Amino acid sequence: MKLSLRGDYALRALIVLAENYDRGIVRIQTISEQQGIPKRFLEQILNDVKSGGFVESRRGIAGGYQLARPPEQITLAALIRYVEGALVALPLDTEGGRKGARPDANQLAIRSVMKEVRESILQVLEHITLADLCERARKLRHDDTSLDYVI
Amino acid sequence: MKLSLRGDYALRALIVLAENYDRGIVRIQTISEQQGIPKRFLEQILNDVKSGGFVESRRGIAGGYQLARPPEQITLAALIRYVEGALVALPLDTEGGRKGARPDANQLAIRSVMKEVRESILQVLEHITLADLCERARKLRHDDTSLDYVI
DNA sequence: GTTGATCTTGATTTTCTCGATGGAGATTAC
DNA sequence: GTAATCTCCATCGAGAAAATCAAGATCAAC
């Protein structure tokens, strides 16, 4: 499971939105500057995430984005699956050698393994919400700043 | 975790080799025809897998490939990691916004999640060997042929 | 030494990803 | 109403990676 740069950006942006969930709308530019994400690219990503129902937007001069639901109700499983596509994927059989659609036993065996892997990943990601991610980031921030003084 | 076509081919080829482990060497062409894999491409793949120490080859007119170890001793974790690279990967930070190398708290939080995912995947793949895959394929073949008569 | 297989290397084709661009639509401030 | 500022939408291009093809070198068996 590889998280693309796009997916990484999406997650980081949503963490910012989660941190500001009670404060309301956040502008794209704010997120862009804070996280070092190209603004135009972030527009696309958030727009896509909005189609998935994870965030809401408001246009105009006081516009921006905010989470559509409380961060406790957004699991990473749903989020990553939407942004990245399938969590674990096999290549579509462009050919099976024969008349098309029938995978052979070896392919099916591999598929069954991948299914187990997917289940296992889901076990992890379904129990981590955006709120959890926020909490982790908050703790890490504390660890980090305390380390800063040491150095 | 996405299995590339290359990785899929590698696994399927090694399943064939595992099935013929006691019968000795198998030619590339045999695997190629049986699994519908482009022969030239398969050459590269098996050659690569050989560098990883998973298979041995013999040249010449009676040449071909065979597993370097019994199929019970080859785990999918080792195999897939070698063929596909990292099981779970984050994009390398091309930039952090600042002077280079320091990821912020959000990135670290995401990283910690990905670490958990990786552990979870390993739990699955380390307990499945090529021999297991063979066994699954064998069973599936039986199910499949019995289904054929129904249709 | 001929044959048939792997080995090696490189070129080519295809596909995906990242990110930029330009403009259209919406909303608020004045 | 007008201007400013933001989201929205579609497209496009560079670059990288994946997949495939191709040709010559090397080696073993007969």
Side-chain angles (χ1 to χ4, degrees):
Chain A
M1 132 153 225
K2 195 179 72 180
L3 197 58
S4 70
L5 194 53
R6 182 189 182 88
D8 187 50
Y9 286 167
L11 250 59
R12 283 160 61 193
L14 286 222
I15 293 177
V16 175
L17 291 186
E19 283 166 346
N20 295 75
Y21 180 63
D22 39 0
R23 257 165 295 185
I25 281 184
V26 183
R27 279 186 299 172
I28 280 191
Q29 186 163 6
T30 305
I31 305 175
S32 163
E33 286 170 359
Q34 183 178 326
Q35 290 291 316
I37 303 174
K39 188 182 165 193
R40 293 294 201 144
F41 196 27
L42 186 55
E43 283 184 20
Q44 289 180 13
I45 295 171
L46 284 181
N47 199 354
D48 181 33
V49 171
K50 178 190 166 195
S51 305
F54 297 99
V55 299
E56 297 167 343
S57 69
R58 197 161 74 194
R59 294 198 193 185
I61 197 169
Y65 282 90
Q66 72 184 97
L67 292 185
R69 285 169 288 158
E72 294 83 10
Q73 295 179 20
I74 301 180
T75 70
L76 293 194
L79 196 49
I80 294 182
R81 179 158 38 189
Y82 182 79
V83 175
E84 292 283 340
L87 287 181
V88 31
L90 282 174
L92 310 167
D93 323 343
T94 42
E95 40 66 58
R98 307 304 162 103
K99 53 196 72 158
R102 174 94 141 301
D104 83 318
N106 290 6
Q107 288 178 278
L108 289 177
I110 294 173
R111 201 167 294 186
S112 75
V113 170
M114 289 302 149
K115 193 172 177 182
E116 288 180 31
V117 170
R118 202 187 76 230
E119 292 301 324
S120 160
I121 294 179
L122 278 181
Q123 278 295 319
V124 175
L125 293 185
E126 273 184 349
H127 289 84
I128 303 181
T129 67
L130 265 188
D132 296 328
L133 253 191
C134 259
E135 180 62 17
R136 291 194 194 193
R138 196 184 59 78
K139 282 185 183 166
L140 284 168
R141 237 182 300 271
H142 287 177
D143 293 357
D144 235 18
T145 48
S146 64
L147 279 178
D148 276 347
Y149 287 113
V150 178
I151 297 173
Chain B
M1 131 154 225
K2 195 180 73 181
L3 197 59
S4 68
L5 193 53
R6 182 189 182 87
D8 187 50
Y9 286 167
L11 248 60
R12 283 160 62 191
L14 286 222
I15 293 177
V16 175
L17 290 187
E19 283 166 346
N20 295 76
Y21 180 63
D22 40 359
R23 257 165 295 185
I25 281 184
V26 183
R27 281 185 297 171
I28 279 191
Q29 185 162 7
T30 305
I31 305 175
S32 163
E33 286 170 359
Q34 182 178 327
Q35 290 292 315
I37 302 173
K39 187 183 166 191
R40 299 291 198 148
F41 196 26
L42 186 55
E43 282 184 20
Q44 289 181 12
I45 294 171
L46 284 179
N47 201 349
D48 180 35
V49 171
K50 179 189 166 195
S51 305
F54 297 98
V55 299
E56 296 167 344
S57 67
R58 196 161 74 194
R59 293 200 196 184
I61 196 168
Y65 284 90
Q66 72 185 95
L67 291 186
R69 286 168 288 160
E72 293 83 11
Q73 294 178 22
I74 301 181
T75 70
L76 294 194
L79 196 48
I80 293 182
R81 182 156 39 191
Y82 181 79
V83 176
E84 292 284 340
L87 287 181
V88 33
L90 282 174
L92 309 167
D93 322 344
T94 41
E95 39 66 59
R98 307 304 160 101
K99 54 195 71 157
R102 175 95 139 302
D104 83 319
N106 289 7
Q107 288 178 280
L108 289 177
I110 294 173
R111 202 168 294 185
S112 74
V113 170
M114 287 303 150
K115 192 172 176 182
E116 289 180 30
V117 170
R118 200 187 79 233
E119 292 302 323
S120 161
I121 294 180
L122 278 181
Q123 277 295 320
V124 175
L125 293 184
E126 273 183 349
H127 289 84
I128 303 180
T129 67
L130 264 188
D132 296 327
L133 253 191
C134 259
E135 179 62 14
R136 291 194 194 193
R138 197 184 57 78
K139 282 185 184 167
L140 284 168
R141 236 181 301 271
H142 288 178
D143 292 357
D144 233 19
T145 47
S146 64
L147 280 178
D148 275 348
Y149 289 112
V150 177
I151 298 173

